[in-house]
């Protein structure tokens, strides 16, 4: 009988402890929610979709001291925002002219190296990002991507 009484007392103490914990936890949550704080699982930040502008391929003649080469380049621009995409589309003839004039100035040997291509990317980004008159600012170009690059 003494063992049964001890077991019953232990069970009641455990049940009371659990009930008190649940009560205080629940009331704390309700107070927190009523104070304007929401109790939710943390949300995963949504990454914005990339914005690309694919340009028609370019073919230019590269002149060196001893020979002529043909450069065929496919270019896609990674843009920072939709406004930049609209600017590129609106001024596409001028965009293409800027790119063609820069490509035609390239040395056929230098442009085939990794460093030469990286310098070309920087030059293209700089030239395409310049303002198009009468716009006060140019498009925000995140990257210039070569989708085709052939020198013959």
């Amino acid at each position: 009988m003494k063992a049964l009484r001890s077991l019953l007392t232990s069970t009641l103490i455990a049940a009371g402890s659990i009930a008190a914990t649940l009560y205080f936890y629940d009331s704390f949550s309700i107070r927190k929610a009523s104070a304007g704080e929401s109790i939710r699982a943390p949300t995963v930040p949504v990454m914005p979709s990339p914005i690309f502008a694919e340009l028609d391929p370019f073919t230019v003649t590269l002149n060196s001291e001893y020979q002529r080469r043909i450069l065929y380049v496919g270019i896609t621009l990674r843009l920072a925002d939709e406004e930049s995409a609209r600017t590129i589309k609106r001024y596409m003839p001028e965009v293409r002219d800027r790119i063609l004039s820069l490509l035609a100035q390239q040395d056929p040997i230098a442009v085939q190296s990794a460093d030469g291509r990286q310098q070309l990317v920087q030059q293209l980004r700089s030239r395409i990002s310049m303002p198009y008159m009468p716009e006060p600012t140019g498009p925000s170009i995140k990257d210039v991507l070569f989708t085709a690059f052939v020198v013959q």
Side-chain angles (χ1 to χ4, degrees):
M1 191 66 174
K2 197 172 184 178
L4 185 59
R5 184 185 246 174
S6 171
L7 182 63
L8 186 57
T9 304
S10 297
T11 304
L12 285 174
I13 290 173
S17 175
I18 292 171
T21 300
L22 290 175
Y23 172 76
F24 287 116
Y25 178 75
D26 223 18
S27 65
F28 176 72
S29 297
I30 290 171
R31 271 188 267 137
K32 200 171 184 182
S34 66
E37 297 178 31
S38 62
I39 301 171
R40 288 184 244 152
T43 58
V44 177
V46 177
M47 298 299 292
S49 296
I51 302 168
F52 293 106
E54 185 176 353
L55 307 179
D56 289 336
F58 297 87
T59 305
V60 295
T61 303
L62 302 178
N63 294 312
S64 72
E65 198 172 312
Y66 304 107
Q67 59 186 334
R68 290 181 136 177
R69 297 268 181 106
I70 301 294
L71 173 64
Y72 176 84
V73 180
I75 295 176
T76 298
L77 304 174
R78 185 174 188 151
L79 306 165
D81 51 38
E82 289 294 335
E83 182 58 34
S84 295
R86 286 190 290 274
T87 300
I88 292 293
K89 186 174 182 180
R90 188 172 37 244
Y91 293 97
M92 186 57 73
E94 193 171 343
V95 171
R96 289 189 59 80
D97 180 67
R98 288 181 184 185
I99 293 171
L100 279 168
S101 65
L102 183 61
L103 291 176
Q105 297 171 8
Q106 299 304 306
D107 178 74
I109 303 300
V111 81
Q112 292 182 65
S113 70
D115 288 341
R117 282 192 299 276
Q118 188 58 38
Q119 285 178 346
L120 181 57
V121 164
Q122 292 170 357
Q123 291 171 347
L124 285 168
R125 185 183 307 127
S126 174
R127 182 135 340 155
I128 299 167
S129 295
M130 294 169 55
Y132 296 87
M133 291 301 151
E135 301 289 328
T137 60
S140 181
I141 310 293
K142 283 187 166 184
D143 205 0
V144 176
L145 308 166
F146 293 126
T147 55
F149 199 94
V150 180
V151 178
Q152 288 187 340

